[in-house]
Amino acid sequence: MTKETGKAFDTRLFKRLLAHTKPYRLTFYGVALAAILLSGFAVLGPYILQKIVDDAIITPNGEKLLQLSLLMLGALLAQVVCQLLFDYYANWLGESVIQDVRVNLFKHMLGFRMKYFDNSSLGVLVTRSVSDMQRIGEIFSQGFFMIVADLLKMLAAAIMMVYLNWKLSLIVFALLPIIIYATRLFQKAMKVAFIEVRAQVANLNSFVQERVTGMKIVQLFTREKIESDNFREINEKHQNAWLTTVWYNSIFFPIAEIVTSVAVGLVVWYGGLQNVANITVDISGTIFAFILYIEILFRPLRQIADKFNTLQMGMVAANRVFKILDTDSNIQDVGTIEKDNVNGNIEFSDVRFSYVDGEEVLHGISFDVKAGETIAIVGATGAGKSTIINLLNRFYEIDSGVILVDGVDIKDFKLASLRAQIAVVLQDVFLFADTIANNISLKDPAITLESIEHAAKQIGVHEFISSLPGGYGYNVKERGTMLSSGQRQLIAFLRAYVSNPSILVLDEATSSVDTYSEQLIQRATDKITEGRTSIVIAHRLHTVKKADKILVMDAGKIVETGTHKELLKKNGYYSKLYEAQFLAEEVV
């Protein structure tokens, strides 16, 4: 994996980027050809000018002047056409490459374990997927091909200068090492500076993303001034990172301008002396041509430094994106079993799991659920209830033990097939900025609007949805902010209901809803759990009285098992939980 150092150019990383241009080889070669033609036409103009001055002006020749002028016009028009084609298709190629890389990156992230997202900043991932991608595109649109075109122009200009007058060429070439050395130092310094810039951009994006998302907490706890001060500090680091690049530019470009001006002055001075002293034939046209060739020779060096900045920023961005693409955090989807539905027999056998190595969360959990049964899992916060659901869906891999569905290890199922059998309603409902219908169907073409409305009527939420502006076409905005928590919960429940799962999981699904919404959900629960294996994770114990079996968890272990009545008779952990909750509700 490429390290982020001050190395001016990383060949291995660049080769990896070039591999993404293979589907667009014709365009790639076309842009390369345009760059070659562009350099040819660029150096043709000054040569024609030299001929005009020497052969048509100093020695007056009107007919030749017209011919050479038309030839120069043709060369300029050809240069314009080549420049247009070069600019358009270089940018087209860059956009096509970043489209492919972005799709690959997003597809790769879709398969990551939840552990990766637990340990990653949302703002950083957004930066990698959006702004870093644009930097990669600029490698082709404004970096690599521009540099190649400039180098070709410089080579062609140098050849023409030697051809016209080797003595004047030596004067110009003597100054080249100065600007080349300055450019080299500039490139190395800018590479380090741009690494810092990208790091600060990611930090800034991450900070803003989190604070905007958690704005309610910021305001509730009156942290506006604190967060403002924190943002000022982060923004200052971002500013300083950019100012470092500005400082390097402020040093380099004046040096480049001075060297260019000195070269022009020396050529005019030496060429003029040759003419005055009559040492050589009149070289007035050659001096004119050299002034233009010096610009063609030196200006690309200045521009190459600027384009190299773009190239380096793109390389830094590519390095960060490839780090994510190289991350092996995917659930191993090597199963071969694919089923349209399962009976719903579930068995956990001596399952151990830890989110962090060495810090076990589940300590040898074992239980079984028969097809069609409804079991409840209760316990204090942090007991490991939701972890069981995460493992059943293979969001995380267990440390040891085995989880079976219909007697088959869940690792032997195709991941998509396994998850298609399980519908989960979470306490913290996530809705996309889309219509209610799309949030329910998740744009599954197999789930029609008619089936959604039919399901909504069955569980009693059709009236609520119909009362909203636009009904099922109502846009709930980002994270469903236009709906109450109870309404969001009902939408999530309907989402699970229409998927017709073999296994239903309700993870604290009624803990944040009002009494009326809870009654609707309870009604739907009774209907949807008929003939289905259901797992209900609940904090409010009165919601699990009807469960066929209740698992009581504490500190990652199952401490009691039985029905509601059986557990109350034991006068154990469950009984104490129930009494404490009952007394609390009585006080309220």
Side-chain angles (χ1 to χ4, degrees), residues 4 23 80 136 152 159 161 214 229 263 296 307 315 321 326 328 363 424 483 499 513 522:
E4 295 179 359
V80 169
I136 293 175
L152 288 174
I159 292 172
M161 290 168 76
D229 291 341
I296 294 176
K307 296 299 183 292
M315 296 287 275
V321 169
D326 292 338
D328 184 17
H363 312 289
V424 182
L483 301 177
S499 67
V513 300
Q522 192 60 53

Side-chain angles (χ1 to χ4, degrees), residues 145-155 300 303-304 307:
F145 284 118
M146 291 289 189
I147 291 174
V148 170
D150 285 343
L151 289 173
L152 288 174
K153 287 180 184 178
M154 291 173 61
L155 178 61
Q303 291 180 343
I304 283 175
K307 296 299 183 292

Side-chain angles (χ1 to χ4, degrees), residues 512-581:
S512 60
V513 300
D514 54 46
T515 304
Y516 176 70
S517 297
E518 184 178 348
Q519 290 173 352
L520 289 177
I521 290 177
Q522 192 60 53
R523 169 186 167 184
T525 301
D526 293 341
K527 186 173 185 61
I528 196 174
T529 54
E530 291 178 3
R532 286 187 177 89
T533 303
S534 302
I535 301 176
V536 180
I537 297 175
H539 178 69
R540 295 156 72 170
L541 301 184
H542 66 84
T543 63
V544 301
K545 291 180 180 178
K546 297 180 181 179
D548 297 311
K549 183 165 54 178
I550 299 173
L551 307 180
V552 185
M553 294 192 66
D554 182 39
K557 296 179 180 179
I558 297 176
V559 293
E560 290 179 345
T561 304
T563 64
H564 174 69
K565 291 182 179 180
E566 291 171 348
L567 291 173
L568 286 180
K569 290 179 180 178
K570 289 182 180 180
N571 197 28
Y573 189 86
Y574 179 84
S575 177
K576 292 177 182 178
L577 279 177
Y578 187 79
E579 289 175 6
Q581 194 171 109

Side-chain angles (χ1 to χ4, degrees), residues 342-352 362 364-373 375 377 388 391-394 398 400-411 413 418 422 503 533-535 549 551 558:
V342 296
N343 294 326
N345 293 293
I346 301 172
E347 181 182 353
F348 276 59
S349 179
D350 195 27
V351 173
R352 297 181 178 273
L362 295 184
I365 293 293
S366 296
F367 67 90
D368 64 273
V369 188
K370 293 182 175 61
E373 266 191 344
I375 72 159
I377 304 176
I388 289 178
L391 298 182
L392 179 62
N393 280 280
R394 288 196 70 198
I398 60 177
S400 63
V402 64
I403 302 175
L404 306 176
V405 172
D406 286 358
V408 179
D409 192 325
I410 59 173
K411 293 180 180 179
F413 283 97
L418 172 69
I422 306 170
I503 300 171
T533 303
S534 302
I535 301 176
K549 183 165 54 178
L551 307 180
I558 297 176

